[in-house]
Amino acid sequence: MFRTSRGFQPTQMLARANIVAQRSRGLATEVHVQRSAPQPPMTRKPRAEGDIGSVFASLSGEAETPLPQRFADLKSVIAGDESNRARMVSSFRTLTARLSRAAEEIERAGTKAVPTVSYDSVLARDPATIAAIKRCGTAVVQNVIPRSEAETWLQQVLAYVAANPQVRGFPADDKQVFEVYWSKPQLAARGHPRSLAIQRALLSLFSLPQNAEVSLTPVSYADRLRVRHPGDAKFALGPHMDGGSVERWEDPAYRAVYARILEGRWEEYDAYNLEERARANQNLYDGAGACGVFRAFQGWTSLSDTGPGEGTLRVYPLVREMTAYTLLRPFFREKAPRSAVSREHYLAADNWELDIDSAVFPQAPLGRSQEFNNASHPHLELDRTMVSIPRVRPGDQAWWHADVIHAVESVHRGAGPSAVMYIPAVPLTRLNAEYLRDQRACFEARCPPPDFPGGEGEASFKGTGTPSDIEGADARRAMGLDAFPVAQDMRAGERAVRLTANSVLGL
Ligand SMILES: [Fe+2]
């Protein structure tokens, strides 16, 4: 339940919690739509108060703890019969050889390993642009939002934070990642027509069978914003993957996404198949870092002119290779430790053997994000291969696929703020519609969205946005405020998921 926050009494907290619960049952009156069907009760429980530091084991200073023994059994089941195990061993050999060559290529390319593309080329589905994005898994899309508009948003963000000094943030003594979700510039950025158009185009990179109950219509996922100060070295997020950790192996639907890799055929793995991903449970342990929606691409919109070395995003720029290694890594263990042999000997395939009897899943703690470092995932050679993304200007967007290993530069050596709003590309699914319903209740109560550390949030803030600030039909639908149109000639799965979503949302 809620914890008491500064200046907010437990009875008020309880009242706030009741407001959220009641509104989620369809008692809201502030929104502009007629809700024809009663809404189901919100089953998601609010999270404890906190900040982004509670999401990552490395930021919280937590040591890696062994997983329960049942994870050894899981490994054995996934490894399958003798022939599957043999294929895994031989594919680990080809994969580690590929990773070694990839490290050379990436080191040579540096920042250019991440494509910078234009808004128009993405919208026009230019084949070279699409191929570059799909191979890398990350891209900078330029000029999505007019520069002057993005610069205005930054000024509005700074004014909002200044007007509400009680705002929570990380680190607490010099706040830079703010627990702010409902400021007016964030609402504008999430629903901007050009931003929604890019989200739709990125979702369209994924293939979808006729009956898959997924719509590539983007829905809004409310997330934080960051304004990193020059010289900061505290917001140093190490390499990690969002979308859960052990869930990638433990949840059968999630595991199905990676079936080719786990069958020892990583070269055939398609990172852009949406059907299983949309059904995957990325949140088995309700941890602080768990995500309640399926985000096909994570992204942010830049509010500043920020280049490499200025506190920007870093990624491993080959999505198939990194995913294959992440998934296969727990099934192998070293023979000679790193301290005993040369780097080449240590990384050589002959120094690694099948491990299907331990519960070791490196850096995949329960209820936290999957993290990576040189010791846990040595073949990625992260010290050579995590590249900073190219320079972004206000209004540019950075996008990275759900499985991309990413980090934030440890030191911001620039002269100005390194400011972004986190806005991902989220398709419409039943699970995402359920989240949208609960997120809408939080929006109406001005509390943090369901996935984020709880508390009163922005309830007492000055200048917070409301549903009436959301303009445009697509933007309102993306927030669950208006129904998704349904037509007879739609793909069967498209039609079905829209009907389901409208029912879930009580629209
Ligand atoms: Fe992340």
Side-chain angles (χ1 to χ4, degrees), residues 425-442:
V426 178
L428 181 64
T429 65
R430 166 184 267 283
L431 183 77
N432 289 355
E434 287 168 355
Y435 186 89
L436 198 56
R437 173 197 64 206
D438 298 347
Q439 176 181 268
R440 182 182 62 193
C442 295

Side-chain angles (χ1 to χ4, degrees), residues 312-500:
T312 196
L313 182 76
R314 307 183 80 214
V315 296
Y316 186 100
L318 290 167
V319 70
R320 176 186 282 139
E321 287 84 344
M322 81 178 95
T323 310
Y325 184 70
T326 302
L327 269 289
L328 287 176
R329 173 66 186 89
F331 298 89
F332 293 88
R333 68 181 153 221
E334 66 193 26
K335 293 183 197 167
R338 185 161 221 163
S339 57
V341 292
S342 69
R343 181 180 177 111
E344 287 69 30
H345 183 149
Y346 179 73
L347 294 178
D350 289 339
N351 191 41
W352 294 77
E353 64 186 5
L354 207 55
D355 169 12
I356 48 171
D357 46 30
S358 83
V360 174
F361 281 73
Q363 292 290 324
L366 304 182
R368 303 275 202 191
S369 291
Q370 169 76 53
E371 295 195 71
F372 299 80
N373 59 49
N374 275 329
S376 67
H377 295 81
H379 295 90
L380 292 176
E381 302 191 63
L382 296 170
D383 47 350
R384 303 168 70 193
T385 55
M386 289 297 286
V387 294
S388 299
I389 65 166
R391 177 168 289 280
V392 290
R393 297 189 170 76
D396 292 353
Q397 293 180 334
W399 291 100
W400 62 103
H401 181 286
D403 286 338
V404 163
I405 301 170
H406 57 289
V408 180
E409 284 179 341
S410 54
V411 185
H412 173 10
R413 299 182 205 280
S418 172
V420 306
M421 290 179 185
Y422 298 100
I423 302 175
V426 178
L428 181 64
T429 65
R430 166 184 267 283
L431 183 77
N432 289 355
E434 287 168 355
Y435 186 89
L436 198 56
R437 173 197 64 206
D438 298 347
Q439 176 181 268
R440 182 182 62 193
C442 295
F443 178 30
E444 289 163 358
R446 303 186 193 184
C447 294
D451 267 352
F452 295 89
E456 66 159 313
E458 294 156 78
S460 62
F461 281 25
K462 299 186 194 88
T464 309
T466 66
S468 63
D469 293 309
I470 311 246
E471 292 171 7
D474 286 343
R476 290 184 56 78
R477 283 180 197 126
M479 279 300 292
L481 297 171
D482 285 349
F484 295 95
V486 180
Q488 290 302 330
D489 59 352
M490 282 175 170
R491 185 177 58 81
E494 174 86 33
R495 194 166 177 277
V497 75
R498 283 171 177 245
L499 287 168
T500 300

Side-chain angles (χ1 to χ4, degrees), residues 56 237 240-242 295 298 369 400 406:
F56 295 94
L237 277 187
H240 68 279
M241 232 181 225
D242 295 310
R295 294 176 287 194
Q298 308 238 48
S369 291
W400 62 103
H406 57 289

